[in-house]
Structure formats: structure tokens, C-alpha cells
Amino acid sequence: MADDGSGVLVRRATMRDVAERAGVSKSLVSLAFSSPESVSPQRLGRILDAAEALGFRPNRVARSLNGLRDDFVGILVADSRNPVFAEVVDAARVALSAGGRLGLMTSAVLPGGTGVSARPELDAEAVAMLGDLQPSGLIVVGSVPSMDRVVEAMGSARIVIASARPERLAGAATVRGDDEVGLRLVIDHLTGLGHRRIGHVGGAGGRVASGRASAFAAAMGEHGLDGTMVAESDFSEAAGFRAAGELLDLAEPPTAITAVNDLAAIGVTAAVRQRGLTGHVAVTGYDNTYLAALGAVELTSVDPDNATIGRRAAEVLLSDDDPGEVLVAPTLRVRASSVPAAS
């Protein structure tokens, strides 16, 4: 039953109603919505016209539970508040829609605290419910805990992981930004501005953070510089502030600080400002979120090209290929926060 807007409940149109109006069988109506290419254009037109006139919409849940699920793809997001993941999801849904698929998103992780010691917890009920709907495929956006449980819940559904660095899963492709290239762009930029003592806040919070810390050390080594000035931080502003304080209080503090992401870089900027060093210490972020472009921030940041990551994740899911890992080339967006080293 549905409300017609006047408070009166009216019966929803059914597949049988569409069949009677179009003058066809109920089974043909079902076939028209599950495999329209199998129905003659003339009959398909009559069925679609009847459905539109009656306001009929096929029950996707029922179709999924009946095994007619080719048009349904699940999207699990590690953190629905993360603007990086939002960009990936939006691009993936557009690409899925262009491929005739519906993308249904839910958060994979229960709300919890932040900080270096905080551990995200899988929302097992949400994952199980999504698995019960029998999606034809699944896109996992971000680092989701207990991936073995996710794989188990999805059954035979194909899985693609976007914007994360998971352990290799059999049959699951990964699409992510090339962090090694991204940190190399940052260090090339900072050394070009005359910086030699460069620190990094990051390394905590999962494989993405540890991978970026390793990429920082490798990029510093390519310039013959010490890449060990690293203070532990996760992706939060508070952790970035605390880690930057550790670096800035050293006997020989860095003249530039790179951060694991933009939010941590905001914390670094606050620590720099607190010590009266604004304009003297360069700060860079990662992910090029909307925060980086704010006029009060003007943060130099690596742009991982989230739109391409989301689109490619959907394309890989819809294909029969198994590319293993797809790396998307990032770019560097230079803004006012990366000041030159003092002469």
C-alpha cells in the first residue's frame, strides 16, 4: 500500500496489473524487466507503457532473492564521512549506471572513536544483509576490517577494492592511487623549494598510512636525504597536531612537514601556527579534498584522481578481466602552504 498524497492508502500496481493492461502474460512482464533483450520490441513497448501508466516499479529485492540479480552491485564504504571516499563512490555509481547496474551503498564500519589506538569494527549485520540480497558484484571503498567475513558474506559475488591497500584476495582486484608517485611529487616539489630537513606525520591507521610513510622514506632516499624523521599519526586532525608537535620540538626541527592526508595536515598547520612558525615551515597534505582548497587553508596536496579510481573500479567489476592491481597516476596541486625554505 502507498499514500496517494491525500492520506488515503492505495494499492501499488503489481506485475499482474501490468500484464492485464498490456495484454500479455505475467511471465512475459517478468522477462521484460529481467532480460528486456529477450522480448520483442513491440511487446516490450506495450509492457513499458503499461508499467509507466500504472506507476509500476519492479521489486529489486524480490528479484535479487530470486536470483535475478545481474543489475545490482553492492558498495561498502569504510567511512561514509570521508570526502575522498564520497568522490570514489559517486564516480563508481555513475559508471555502474552507464553499464545498466544499480549501485547500493552502505557503511561497512560501525561508528567509533578516532585516534592512533582506535580500531574500526566491521558492521557485521549490515554486511550480512547486503550479502543476503545477493549482489552480482561488490565494490569495497577504503580499508575495511575483517575482509574475510565480507568475502564470506558475498558468496560468489565479484569483489573490487578501491582506494585501499589490502592483502591480496583471490579473485579480488584493487584500484588505487599510486602513493609512491604521489610522495615523490611532494618531495621533488619541496626539495625544489630548498628544503632538506623534511618530516612526515603518518604511518598509523592501516596499510595506506604505512605505505605512504614508506613512500616518503623512499622519495627522500632518492634525493640523498634522511627519511627517518617520521612521527606517528593516523588520518585525524588531532593526531596530525600531536605528531607535528613532536617534530617541531626536536632540537633540529624540519623546515617542511608532509602529512598522510589533508585532515592530518590541518592538524600540522595548527601546530605550526601555535608555535608562530606560519610562513616558515612548509606543510603538504594528501588526497586533495575540499579542505585543501579552502581560502583559509590553501594546502598543497596530492590529488589521487578519485573520480578515475571510482570509474575504473566499476569498469573492472563489469568486465571479465582480472587486472590484479590498477594504479592511477596522481598529480600535485600546489598552493600557498608549501613555502620556500629560509635562505
PDB file of all heavy atoms in Angstrom, residues 252-281:
ATOM      1  N   GLU A 252      66.616  19.917  16.141  1.00  0.00           N
ATOM      2  CA  GLU A 252      66.703  20.382  14.756  1.00  0.00           C
ATOM      3  C   GLU A 252      65.407  20.016  14.039  1.00  0.00           C
ATOM      4  O   GLU A 252      65.309  18.972  13.389  1.00  0.00           O
ATOM      5  CB  GLU A 252      67.902  19.751  14.036  1.00  0.00           C
ATOM      6  CG  GLU A 252      69.253  20.240  14.536  1.00  0.00           C
ATOM      7  CD  GLU A 252      70.382  19.737  13.651  1.00  0.00           C
ATOM      8  OE1 GLU A 252      70.792  18.565  13.831  1.00  0.00           O
ATOM      9  OE2 GLU A 252      70.827  20.509  12.776  1.00  0.00           O
ATOM     10  N   PRO A 253      64.397  20.870  14.171  1.00  0.00           N
ATOM     11  CA  PRO A 253      63.082  20.548  13.614  1.00  0.00           C
ATOM     12  C   PRO A 253      63.095  20.618  12.088  1.00  0.00           C
ATOM     13  O   PRO A 253      63.965  21.246  11.486  1.00  0.00           O
ATOM     14  CB  PRO A 253      62.177  21.628  14.208  1.00  0.00           C
ATOM     15  CG  PRO A 253      63.092  22.787  14.436  1.00  0.00           C
ATOM     16  CD  PRO A 253      64.404  22.177  14.846  1.00  0.00           C
ATOM     17  N   PRO A 254      62.125  19.981  11.443  1.00  0.00           N
ATOM     18  CA  PRO A 254      62.036  20.048   9.985  1.00  0.00           C
ATOM     19  C   PRO A 254      61.607  21.436   9.522  1.00  0.00           C
ATOM     20  O   PRO A 254      60.928  22.166  10.249  1.00  0.00           O
ATOM     21  CB  PRO A 254      60.965  19.006   9.662  1.00  0.00           C
ATOM     22  CG  PRO A 254      60.111  18.954  10.895  1.00  0.00           C
ATOM     23  CD  PRO A 254      61.054  19.164  12.039  1.00  0.00           C
ATOM     24  N   THR A 255      62.000  21.770   8.312  1.00  0.00           N
ATOM     25  CA  THR A 255      61.531  23.028   7.703  1.00  0.00           C
ATOM     26  C   THR A 255      60.318  22.774   6.825  1.00  0.00           C
ATOM     27  O   THR A 255      59.702  23.721   6.322  1.00  0.00           O
ATOM     28  CB  THR A 255      62.640  23.661   6.845  1.00  0.00           C
ATOM     29  OG1 THR A 255      62.980  22.764   5.766  1.00  0.00           O
ATOM     30  CG2 THR A 255      63.882  23.940   7.682  1.00  0.00           C
ATOM     31  N   ALA A 256      59.984  21.505   6.636  1.00  0.00           N
ATOM     32  CA  ALA A 256      58.790  21.124   5.874  1.00  0.00           C
ATOM     33  C   ALA A 256      58.236  19.834   6.468  1.00  0.00           C
ATOM     34  O   ALA A 256      58.991  18.966   6.910  1.00  0.00           O
ATOM     35  CB  ALA A 256      59.118  20.921   4.403  1.00  0.00           C
ATOM     36  N   ILE A 257      56.899  19.710   6.489  1.00  0.00           N
ATOM     37  CA  ILE A 257      56.247  18.509   7.022  1.00  0.00           C
ATOM     38  C   ILE A 257      55.213  18.024   6.015  1.00  0.00           C
ATOM     39  O   ILE A 257      54.325  18.779   5.606  1.00  0.00           O
ATOM     40  CB  ILE A 257      55.567  18.783   8.372  1.00  0.00           C
ATOM     41  CG1 ILE A 257      56.593  19.241   9.416  1.00  0.00           C
ATOM     42  CG2 ILE A 257      54.850  17.530   8.876  1.00  0.00           C
ATOM     43  CD1 ILE A 257      55.981  19.603  10.763  1.00  0.00           C
ATOM     44  N   THR A 258      55.328  16.760   5.645  1.00  0.00           N
ATOM     45  CA  THR A 258      54.329  16.125   4.791  1.00  0.00           C
ATOM     46  C   THR A 258      53.382  15.325   5.684  1.00  0.00           C
ATOM     47  O   THR A 258      53.807  14.753   6.686  1.00  0.00           O
ATOM     48  CB  THR A 258      54.982  15.185   3.766  1.00  0.00           C
ATOM     49  OG1 THR A 258      55.590  14.084   4.452  1.00  0.00           O
ATOM     50  CG2 THR A 258      56.058  15.917   2.971  1.00  0.00           C
ATOM     51  N   ALA A 259      52.104  15.289   5.313  1.00  0.00           N
ATOM     52  CA  ALA A 259      51.112  14.586   6.135  1.00  0.00           C
ATOM     53  C   ALA A 259      50.456  13.466   5.338  1.00  0.00           C
ATOM     54  O   ALA A 259      50.351  13.518   4.110  1.00  0.00           O
ATOM     55  CB  ALA A 259      50.044  15.558   6.631  1.00  0.00           C
ATOM     56  N   VAL A 260      49.984  12.461   6.059  1.00  0.00           N
ATOM     57  CA  VAL A 260      49.387  11.289   5.438  1.00  0.00           C
ATOM     58  C   VAL A 260      48.107  11.615   4.691  1.00  0.00           C
ATOM     59  O   VAL A 260      47.742  10.935   3.727  1.00  0.00           O
ATOM     60  CB  VAL A 260      49.130  10.201   6.499  1.00  0.00           C
ATOM     61  CG1 VAL A 260      48.083  10.655   7.517  1.00  0.00           C
ATOM     62  CG2 VAL A 260      48.724   8.887   5.863  1.00  0.00           C
ATOM     63  N   ASN A 261      47.400  12.668   5.112  1.00  0.00           N
ATOM     64  CA  ASN A 261      46.206  13.115   4.386  1.00  0.00           C
ATOM     65  C   ASN A 261      45.937  14.575   4.726  1.00  0.00           C
ATOM     66  O   ASN A 261      46.652  15.196   5.530  1.00  0.00           O
ATOM     67  CB  ASN A 261      44.990  12.237   4.711  1.00  0.00           C
ATOM     68  CG  ASN A 261      44.436  12.481   6.109  1.00  0.00           C
ATOM     69  OD1 ASN A 261      45.150  12.911   7.006  1.00  0.00           O
ATOM     70  ND2 ASN A 261      43.160  12.175   6.291  1.00  0.00           N
ATOM     71  N   ASP A 262      44.904  15.136   4.134  1.00  0.00           N
ATOM     72  CA  ASP A 262      44.628  16.559   4.325  1.00  0.00           C
ATOM     73  C   ASP A 262      44.184  16.879   5.744  1.00  0.00           C
ATOM     74  O   ASP A 262      44.547  17.927   6.296  1.00  0.00           O
ATOM     75  CB  ASP A 262      43.541  17.020   3.338  1.00  0.00           C
ATOM     76  CG  ASP A 262      44.028  17.075   1.910  1.00  0.00           C
ATOM     77  OD1 ASP A 262      45.256  16.998   1.695  1.00  0.00           O
ATOM     78  OD2 ASP A 262      43.191  17.182   1.001  1.00  0.00           O
ATOM     79  N   LEU A 263      43.390  16.008   6.352  1.00  0.00           N
ATOM     80  CA  LEU A 263      42.905  16.295   7.703  1.00  0.00           C
ATOM     81  C   LEU A 263      44.054  16.318   8.696  1.00  0.00           C
ATOM     82  O   LEU A 263      44.131  17.203   9.563  1.00  0.00           O
ATOM     83  CB  LEU A 263      41.858  15.256   8.110  1.00  0.00           C
ATOM     84  CG  LEU A 263      40.944  15.624   9.280  1.00  0.00           C
ATOM     85  CD1 LEU A 263      40.237  16.941   9.014  1.00  0.00           C
ATOM     86  CD2 LEU A 263      39.929  14.514   9.522  1.00  0.00           C
ATOM     87  N   ALA A 264      44.963  15.362   8.593  1.00  0.00           N
ATOM     88  CA  ALA A 264      46.150  15.383   9.457  1.00  0.00           C
ATOM     89  C   ALA A 264      46.982  16.626   9.177  1.00  0.00           C
ATOM     90  O   ALA A 264      47.573  17.220  10.097  1.00  0.00           O
ATOM     91  CB  ALA A 264      46.985  14.128   9.232  1.00  0.00           C
ATOM     92  N   ALA A 265      47.027  17.050   7.910  1.00  0.00           N
ATOM     93  CA  ALA A 265      47.777  18.255   7.550  1.00  0.00           C
ATOM     94  C   ALA A 265      47.171  19.506   8.175  1.00  0.00           C
ATOM     95  O   ALA A 265      47.892  20.451   8.517  1.00  0.00           O
ATOM     96  CB  ALA A 265      47.831  18.408   6.028  1.00  0.00           C
ATOM     97  N   ILE A 266      45.845  19.518   8.362  1.00  0.00           N
ATOM     98  CA  ILE A 266      45.200  20.640   9.057  1.00  0.00           C
ATOM     99  C   ILE A 266      45.709  20.694  10.490  1.00  0.00           C
ATOM    100  O   ILE A 266      45.981  21.776  11.047  1.00  0.00           O
ATOM    101  CB  ILE A 266      43.669  20.486   9.033  1.00  0.00           C
ATOM    102  CG1 ILE A 266      43.141  20.484   7.599  1.00  0.00           C
ATOM    103  CG2 ILE A 266      43.011  21.601   9.848  1.00  0.00           C
ATOM    104  CD1 ILE A 266      43.358  21.755   6.850  1.00  0.00           C
ATOM    105  N   GLY A 267      45.849  19.540  11.119  1.00  0.00           N
ATOM    106  CA  GLY A 267      46.420  19.491  12.468  1.00  0.00           C
ATOM    107  C   GLY A 267      47.853  19.964  12.493  1.00  0.00           C
ATOM    108  O   GLY A 267      48.279  20.669  13.417  1.00  0.00           O
ATOM    109  N   VAL A 268      48.629  19.596  11.464  1.00  0.00           N
ATOM    110  CA  VAL A 268      50.015  20.067  11.365  1.00  0.00           C
ATOM    111  C   VAL A 268      50.041  21.583  11.264  1.00  0.00           C
ATOM    112  O   VAL A 268      50.840  22.262  11.937  1.00  0.00           O
ATOM    113  CB  VAL A 268      50.707  19.435  10.137  1.00  0.00           C
ATOM    114  CG1 VAL A 268      52.086  20.055   9.945  1.00  0.00           C
ATOM    115  CG2 VAL A 268      50.819  17.930  10.287  1.00  0.00           C
ATOM    116  N   THR A 269      49.176  22.131  10.439  1.00  0.00           N
ATOM    117  CA  THR A 269      49.112  23.588  10.253  1.00  0.00           C
ATOM    118  C   THR A 269      48.809  24.293  11.565  1.00  0.00           C
ATOM    119  O   THR A 269      49.382  25.353  11.876  1.00  0.00           O
ATOM    120  CB  THR A 269      48.033  23.935   9.209  1.00  0.00           C
ATOM    121  OG1 THR A 269      48.355  23.307   7.962  1.00  0.00           O
ATOM    122  CG2 THR A 269      47.942  25.436   8.991  1.00  0.00           C
ATOM    123  N   ALA A 270      47.909  23.705  12.366  1.00  0.00           N
ATOM    124  CA  ALA A 270      47.580  24.300  13.670  1.00  0.00           C
ATOM    125  C   ALA A 270      48.781  24.285  14.598  1.00  0.00           C
ATOM    126  O   ALA A 270      49.033  25.253  15.327  1.00  0.00           O
ATOM    127  CB  ALA A 270      46.411  23.554  14.298  1.00  0.00           C
ATOM    128  N   ALA A 271      49.562  23.201  14.585  1.00  0.00           N
ATOM    129  CA  ALA A 271      50.757  23.120  15.431  1.00  0.00           C
ATOM    130  C   ALA A 271      51.805  24.126  14.988  1.00  0.00           C
ATOM    131  O   ALA A 271      52.482  24.753  15.823  1.00  0.00           O
ATOM    132  CB  ALA A 271      51.336  21.705  15.380  1.00  0.00           C
ATOM    133  N   VAL A 272      51.936  24.299  13.684  1.00  0.00           N
ATOM    134  CA  VAL A 272      52.881  25.292  13.141  1.00  0.00           C
ATOM    135  C   VAL A 272      52.462  26.699  13.570  1.00  0.00           C
ATOM    136  O   VAL A 272      53.285  27.510  14.022  1.00  0.00           O
ATOM    137  CB  VAL A 272      52.945  25.185  11.606  1.00  0.00           C
ATOM    138  CG1 VAL A 272      53.699  26.375  11.009  1.00  0.00           C
ATOM    139  CG2 VAL A 272      53.611  23.877  11.185  1.00  0.00           C
ATOM    140  N   ARG A 273      51.180  26.981  13.459  1.00  0.00           N
ATOM    141  CA  ARG A 273      50.674  28.310  13.831  1.00  0.00           C
ATOM    142  C   ARG A 273      50.834  28.554  15.323  1.00  0.00           C
ATOM    143  O   ARG A 273      51.190  29.668  15.749  1.00  0.00           O
ATOM    144  CB  ARG A 273      49.202  28.418  13.430  1.00  0.00           C
ATOM    145  CG  ARG A 273      48.596  29.790  13.731  1.00  0.00           C
ATOM    146  CD  ARG A 273      47.181  29.906  13.200  1.00  0.00           C
ATOM    147  NE  ARG A 273      46.296  28.930  13.794  1.00  0.00           N
ATOM    148  CZ  ARG A 273      45.756  27.896  13.140  1.00  0.00           C
ATOM    149  NH1 ARG A 273      46.014  27.718  11.860  1.00  0.00           N
ATOM    150  NH2 ARG A 273      44.960  27.058  13.770  1.00  0.00           N
ATOM    151  N   GLN A 274      50.583  27.542  16.139  1.00  0.00           N
ATOM    152  CA  GLN A 274      50.698  27.680  17.594  1.00  0.00           C
ATOM    153  C   GLN A 274      52.104  28.095  18.008  1.00  0.00           C
ATOM    154  O   GLN A 274      52.284  28.814  18.998  1.00  0.00           O
ATOM    155  CB  GLN A 274      50.310  26.358  18.268  1.00  0.00           C
ATOM    156  CG  GLN A 274      50.268  26.408  19.779  1.00  0.00           C
ATOM    157  CD  GLN A 274      49.994  25.042  20.378  1.00  0.00           C
ATOM    158  OE1 GLN A 274      50.843  24.161  20.367  1.00  0.00           O
ATOM    159  NE2 GLN A 274      48.781  24.850  20.899  1.00  0.00           N
ATOM    160  N   ARG A 275      53.094  27.658  17.251  1.00  0.00           N
ATOM    161  CA  ARG A 275      54.490  27.967  17.572  1.00  0.00           C
ATOM    162  C   ARG A 275      55.004  29.206  16.841  1.00  0.00           C
ATOM    163  O   ARG A 275      56.200  29.499  16.872  1.00  0.00           O
ATOM    164  CB  ARG A 275      55.370  26.747  17.250  1.00  0.00           C
ATOM    165  CG  ARG A 275      55.167  25.617  18.238  1.00  0.00           C
ATOM    166  CD  ARG A 275      55.660  24.293  17.683  1.00  0.00           C
ATOM    167  NE  ARG A 275      55.585  23.235  18.693  1.00  0.00           N
ATOM    168  CZ  ARG A 275      54.448  22.627  19.051  1.00  0.00           C
ATOM    169  NH1 ARG A 275      53.305  22.987  18.466  1.00  0.00           N
ATOM    170  NH2 ARG A 275      54.452  21.681  19.972  1.00  0.00           N
ATOM    171  N   GLY A 276      54.101  29.913  16.179  1.00  0.00           N
ATOM    172  CA  GLY A 276      54.488  31.145  15.487  1.00  0.00           C
ATOM    173  C   GLY A 276      55.368  30.908  14.273  1.00  0.00           C
ATOM    174  O   GLY A 276      56.165  31.788  13.911  1.00  0.00           O
ATOM    175  N   LEU A 277      55.224  29.742  13.632  1.00  0.00           N
ATOM    176  CA  LEU A 277      56.094  29.381  12.514  1.00  0.00           C
ATOM    177  C   LEU A 277      55.391  29.442  11.158  1.00  0.00           C
ATOM    178  O   LEU A 277      55.939  28.988  10.158  1.00  0.00           O
ATOM    179  CB  LEU A 277      56.650  27.971  12.729  1.00  0.00           C
ATOM    180  CG  LEU A 277      57.557  27.802  13.957  1.00  0.00           C
ATOM    181  CD1 LEU A 277      57.913  26.332  14.154  1.00  0.00           C
ATOM    182  CD2 LEU A 277      58.823  28.646  13.787  1.00  0.00           C
ATOM    183  N   THR A 278      54.186  29.999  11.136  1.00  0.00           N
ATOM    184  CA  THR A 278      53.484  30.123   9.858  1.00  0.00           C
ATOM    185  C   THR A 278      54.325  30.944   8.882  1.00  0.00           C
ATOM    186  O   THR A 278      54.825  32.017   9.223  1.00  0.00           O
ATOM    187  CB  THR A 278      52.120  30.803  10.060  1.00  0.00           C
ATOM    188  OG1 THR A 278      51.338  30.025  10.984  1.00  0.00           O
ATOM    189  CG2 THR A 278      51.369  30.936   8.744  1.00  0.00           C
ATOM    190  N   GLY A 279      54.481  30.428   7.683  1.00  0.00           N
ATOM    191  CA  GLY A 279      55.307  31.104   6.693  1.00  0.00           C
ATOM    192  C   GLY A 279      56.757  30.680   6.728  1.00  0.00           C
ATOM    193  O   GLY A 279      57.544  31.056   5.848  1.00  0.00           O
ATOM    194  N   HIS A 280      57.112  29.882   7.742  1.00  0.00           N
ATOM    195  CA  HIS A 280      58.492  29.409   7.879  1.00  0.00           C
ATOM    196  C   HIS A 280      58.612  27.883   7.697  1.00  0.00           C
ATOM    197  O   HIS A 280      59.694  27.389   7.369  1.00  0.00           O
ATOM    198  CB  HIS A 280      59.055  29.793   9.249  1.00  0.00           C
ATOM    199  CG  HIS A 280      59.100  31.276   9.474  1.00  0.00           C
ATOM    200  ND1 HIS A 280      60.086  32.087   8.951  1.00  0.00           N
ATOM    201  CD2 HIS A 280      58.251  32.093  10.160  1.00  0.00           C
ATOM    202  CE1 HIS A 280      59.856  33.333   9.308  1.00  0.00           C
ATOM    203  NE2 HIS A 280      58.760  33.368  10.048  1.00  0.00           N
ATOM    204  N   VAL A 281      57.518  27.159   7.944  1.00  0.00           N
ATOM    205  CA  VAL A 281      57.508  25.702   7.794  1.00  0.00           C
ATOM    206  C   VAL A 281      56.485  25.336   6.714  1.00  0.00           C
ATOM    207  O   VAL A 281      55.306  25.691   6.819  1.00  0.00           O
ATOM    208  CB  VAL A 281      57.138  24.992   9.117  1.00  0.00           C
ATOM    209  CG1 VAL A 281      57.044  23.484   8.898  1.00  0.00           C
ATOM    210  CG2 VAL A 281      58.160  25.321  10.195  1.00  0.00           C
TER     211      VAL A 281
END
